[in-house]
Amino acid sequence: MPAWGRREVLGATGVAVCGAALAGCAGADGSAAAIVPPGIKGKVIAKKADVPVGGGKVINEWKIVITQPTSGVFKAFTANCPHKGCSVGRPEDGVMTCPCHGSEFALDSGKCLKGPAKAPLAEFPLKVEGDGIVIL
Ligand code: FES
């Protein structure tokens, strides 16, 4: 039997759970594109230095998560979990985890890795401007 770690086991299981759910009822739990909160387009909402590689930062004021899956690559997602709307926790260990029921999402795409959520976190476009991160 292969010596799998916790993350590999959960990831393999989670993909099956999320994938199966999507095939059966895509969009049933809020998979529509999220709307950028009003008033933040064009504003610096985080500093690059505040977003760790392989992790991220939740900006509670705007309900947005900024991640840095690999060095120099930044992503922005809604922090609202598509399952029941809780705010995902601070990204770490390569995933964003919802504290309410344990759904996990990929740092680089927002893809659902483990349910009960059935949809990904909606992504917002951004740009890096100097040392700041700007939502477009
Ligand atoms: Fe996030 Fe249920 S609200 S997993």
Side-chain angles (χ1 to χ4, degrees):
M1 181 171 169
W4 288 3
R6 176 184 174 271
R7 184 67 57 203
E8 287 84 9
V9 171
L10 289 176
T13 303
V15 168
V17 170
C18 295
L22 280 173
C25 51
D29 68 347
S31 61
I35 298 170
V36 174
I40 67 167
K41 283 188 177 182
K43 289 186 178 175
V44 174
I45 63 164
K47 299 287 185 193
K48 292 190 312 187
D50 294 336
V51 184
V53 176
K57 176 183 175 75
V58 178
I59 303 170
N60 290 317
E61 178 182 3
W62 304 109
K63 298 279 189 190
I64 288 181
V65 185
I66 305 294
T67 66
Q68 187 176 186
T70 57
S71 182
V73 175
F74 295 91
K75 300 283 186 164
F77 303 97
T78 178
N80 295 323
C81 177
H83 179 229
K84 300 250 182 219
C86 290
S87 182
V88 297
R90 187 169 66 91
E92 55 188 2
D93 296 332
V95 296
M96 296 176 270
T97 303
C98 179
C100 290
H101 310 102
S103 290
E104 294 184 351
F105 304 91
L107 290 182
D108 62 345
S109 64
K111 176 182 172 185
C112 178
L113 301 174
K114 177 185 167 209
K118 298 173 185 169
L121 296 176
E123 185 173 357
F124 299 131
L126 63 75
K127 70 176 179 180
V128 174
E129 205 170 81
D131 65 350
I133 296 167
V134 176
I135 297 294
L136 299 175

